Amino acid sequence: MLTRIDHIGIACFDLDRTVEFYRATYGFEVFHTEVNEEQGVREAMLKINETSDGGASYLQLLEPTREDSAVGKWLAKNGEGVHHIAFGTADVDGDAAAVRDKGVRVLYDEPRIGSMGSRITFLHPKDCHGVLTELVTSAPPADREH
């Protein structure tokens, strides 16, 4: 069962400049940064709030590290802006199977490792009214990488 909005992914050309905008404008601070070589992105997670299920909601700012990455291609076509929405779940495997059974294409056969040690998968935007949708199971608090 989906429990919350885990994050909104925002594609940007300049991560440092975009982080500074969100810091100066809204007071959001960086909670976590990492480079995901597999996905070809450098990212910053800005924590917005804690949630009742022990998780949190974030803005995920994504800068491509190479032009041929999914985010790099998306930026070239669309420019900066909202790239995807991610819903938190205690069981990414079970929820991915449930939506697959309803005819929604799940992009990964098996969930992959995402930000802060989470387990993730994506749903095809054409099956989700044009919205690239991610399902996220957060790593246990002790295993989260800040």
Side-chain angles (χ1 to χ4, degrees):
M1 176 173 93
L2 305 179
T3 58
R4 62 190 154 80
I5 294 175
D6 184 86
H7 66 271
I8 309 264
I10 300 173
C12 61
F13 291 111
D14 184 331
L15 184 66
D16 297 328
R17 196 174 117 236
T18 307
V19 164
E20 179 55 26
F21 168 81
Y22 281 98
R23 190 203 60 72
T25 305
Y26 305 114
F28 298 151
E29 296 295 334
V30 173
F31 179 77
H32 171 82
T33 60
E34 71 181 76
V35 174
N36 185 319
E37 295 295 341
E38 179 184 2
Q39 294 180 16
V41 295
R42 185 168 76 104
E43 69 174 77
M45 296 293 271
L46 287 69
K47 188 183 233 179
I48 306 305
N49 66 313
E50 303 288 335
T51 61
S52 62
D53 67 356
S57 293
Y58 303 90
L59 286 180
Q60 178 187 47
L61 306 178
L62 300 160
E63 175 191 76
T65 58
R66 56 181 199 270
E67 291 178 15
D68 69 339
S69 70
V71 171
K73 291 176 186 176
W74 191 90
L75 268 171
K77 180 179 179 183
N78 300 292
E80 293 184 307
V82 174
H83 180 261
H84 68 274
I85 186 167
F87 294 108
T89 173
D91 182 9
V92 69
D93 299 273
D95 284 336
V99 296
R100 183 182 285 120
D101 289 345
K102 294 176 182 175
V104 175
R105 287 175 279 180
V106 178
L107 299 183
Y108 304 150
D109 290 332
E110 295 291 327
R112 296 181 181 177
I113 300 300
S115 300
M116 298 182 286
S118 63
R119 296 185 71 241
I120 66 165
T121 196
F122 284 91
L123 310 178
H124 200 291
K126 289 185 179 178
D127 297 342
C128 299
H129 298 272
V131 178
L132 179 61
T133 303
E134 182 179 6
L135 303 180
V136 178
T137 296
S138 298
D143 296 340
R144 290 184 194 151
E145 303 166 17
H146 294 31

